[in-house]
DNA sequence: TTGCAGCCTGACCGTATGGTCAGCTTTCAG
DNA sequence: CTGAAAGCTGACCATACGGTCAGGCTGCAA
């Protein structure tokens, strides 16, 4: 064997196994939902015995919680695009790009997140009432300022945000439908680019965004 | 008792029980997903013994299939708004109104549909490859004609449709999130109206829709 | 009135699942 | 080198779930 099963450091093992479990769990939760997912399936996909999962994550709920929180982190990072912007064209463009990239690179995570919210956010309720609300209020304020400064038409900021979330998230959550309507093939690079451009163009034109 | 347990006609019984089961099932499937839903819960909610469910619907899968097909019917009906229209302003406005009404009146159904698609449409794959595809192709053709006739800017019809689906469906699927961000209260009549108006305005402006 | 087809259901069953645990191996600080 | 802590796992358990069925009940056509 070229690979002499080099021994692993403790923390290395821990990190790698947790990672493998989280990746597998994200996929299984996305495909089957919380109720339909089984620890056995996740274990198989992660290449570990089921009992080992319970060594790292005591219960299915705890594992699910970790998966959901991971997604929330990624989601929040993308949200920062808004801050650096000087006006709606920069800010909203960057945000759409970031969220579309998430839809493309983390479709499973997006689905888990969608599923969680659809089922009443049993795990994330706290985050939604604190972090998410604060983030949203902040962005609403930014948009309101843009409107005051005449950088865009007076559009309800909340409904605009919902539209941004919806339009971008759709490409992950309903990816299967889009793929089916695309002749059963995943969107190509070009099609993803077109999707992004379309959303940007329609929304930015739609809100009458003007250069700072 | 004022209610002398009037006897029921046979077909009446059948109709009412099936209806009760389908209503209960829609709610439970929406709240818990297919895997998380249990026949017992559905039975309790419908006020029937579990064994009775299996008399009307042999398996959980069959019951689920019925629920999903019901939604698909409603969805298709709304889709007709497009046809009578003379231009994008009429057509897209009417479609947004219809789909928003579905999101408001049938949030559970919308969630079940979303869940079905997210999990790869195990039940609806056939419909998606036939009915849905035909419907979509038809609407794409209509939009293309509107563009040719100069009634709107040249926007990719498919991505426009996805945006319409996303923006409207979002208010059902992510209703819990929207409610949380709305101070924990459901959207009021006025807020629903504002939501509709906002979507219409942004999209119609965004695609440069011009009166026929 | 009667027979029967459709309707109803308590009790039951096999299975799959989340979770436990005793006891093993491996790593590594001292 | 050594002991203990961390990592690992096959075998096991209790439960909950989807589904079955024998047998009772009821509306209704003849």
């Amino acid at each position: 064997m070229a690979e002499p099963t080099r021994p692993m450091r403790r923390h290395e093992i821990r990190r790698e196994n947790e990672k493998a479990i989280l990746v597998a769990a994200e996929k299984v939760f996305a495909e089957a939902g919380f109720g339909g997912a089984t620890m056995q399936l996740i274990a198989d996909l992660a290449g570990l015995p089921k009992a080992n999962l319970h060594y790292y994550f005591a219960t299915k709920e705890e594992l699910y919680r970790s998966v959901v929180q991971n997604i929330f982190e990624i989601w929040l990072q993308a949200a920062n695009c808004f801050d650096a912007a000087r006006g709606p064209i920069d800010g909203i463009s960057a945000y759409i790009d970031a969220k579309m990239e998430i839809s493309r690179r983390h479709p499973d995570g997006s689905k888990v997140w969608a599923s969680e919210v659809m089922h009443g956010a049993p795990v994330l309720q706290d985050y939604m009432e604190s972090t998410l609300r604060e983030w949203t209020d902040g962005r609403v304020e930014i948009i309101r300022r843009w409107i005051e400064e005449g950088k865009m038409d007076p559009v309800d900021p909340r409904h605009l945000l919902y539209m941004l979330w919806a339009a971008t998230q759709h490409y992950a959550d309903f990816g299967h439908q889009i793929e089916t309507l695309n002749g059963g093939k995943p969107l190509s690079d070009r099609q993803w680019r077109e999707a992004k451009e379309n959303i940007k163009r329609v929304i930015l034109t739609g809100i009458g965004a003007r250069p700072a």
Side-chain angles (χ1 to χ4, degrees), chain A:
Chain A
M1 286 291 184
E3 192 85 19
T5 37
R6 97 201 110 101
M8 279 197 189
R9 306 288 165 86
R10 278 267 167 81
H11 65 89
E12 201 179 357
I13 289 178
R14 174 147 225 129
R15 208 162 27 85
E16 287 199 10
N17 279 348
E18 280 180 352
K19 180 75 181 173
I21 293 169
L22 285 171
V23 168
E26 182 175 288
K27 185 165 187 201
V28 174
F29 282 134
E31 282 175 1
F34 177 81
T38 73
M39 294 298 269
Q40 188 62 64
L41 220 78
I42 295 171
D44 291 348
L45 196 62
L48 296 169
K50 191 184 65 157
N52 209 348
L53 258 67
H54 283 96
Y55 175 72
Y56 286 104
F57 300 91
T59 67
K60 190 182 175 186
E61 275 81 6
E62 190 184 316
L63 175 55
Y64 174 73
R65 186 185 301 267
S66 295
V67 170
V68 170
Q69 282 175 349
N70 272 5
I71 298 302
F72 192 68
E73 293 302 323
I74 294 175
W75 196 90
L76 266 187
Q77 279 174 18
N80 292 334
C81 301
F82 243 97
D83 297 339
R86 325 189 88 237
I89 296 184
D90 294 355
I92 292 175
S93 280
Y95 188 53
I96 290 172
D97 281 337
K99 286 230 54 190
M100 285 296 273
E101 210 53 29
I102 294 178
S103 285
R104 189 176 188 186
R105 304 300 172 193
H106 300 278
D108 289 333
S110 292
K111 287 176 191 169
V112 174
W113 164 270
S115 199
E116 162 72 7
V117 174
M118 280 202 319
H119 297 355
V123 162
L124 275 174
Q125 189 61 35
D126 288 349
Y127 287 84
M128 284 185 29
E129 287 175 2
S130 53
T131 318
L132 180 62
R133 192 202 294 266
E134 284 161 25
W135 185 89
T136 307
D137 289 346
R139 295 336 105 158
V140 166
E141 208 40 57
I142 291 176
I143 295 173
R144 213 187 296 282
R145 202 172 322 128
W146 287 342
I147 293 173
E148 270 175 24
E149 294 168 0
K151 289 174 178 167
M152 55 177 278
D153 294 342
V155 176
D156 185 302
R158 283 178 196 280
H159 292 301
L160 173 57
L161 282 175
Y162 298 158
M163 204 159 152
L164 290 173
W165 292 343
T168 52
Q169 182 112 16
H170 187 80
Y171 283 83
D173 302 342
F174 287 73
H176 179 79
Q177 182 172 288
I178 290 173
E179 199 172 309
T180 299
L181 293 175
N182 192 42
K185 287 170 300 194
L187 296 190
S188 64
D189 286 0
R190 197 162 67 84
Q191 286 174 313
W192 273 100
R193 219 179 314 125
E194 285 168 356
K196 273 200 285 200
E197 293 310 317
N198 250 281
I199 296 174
K200 282 195 237 175
R201 180 173 151 205
V202 171
I203 290 187
L204 289 176
T205 308
I207 64 174
R210 286 174 284 278

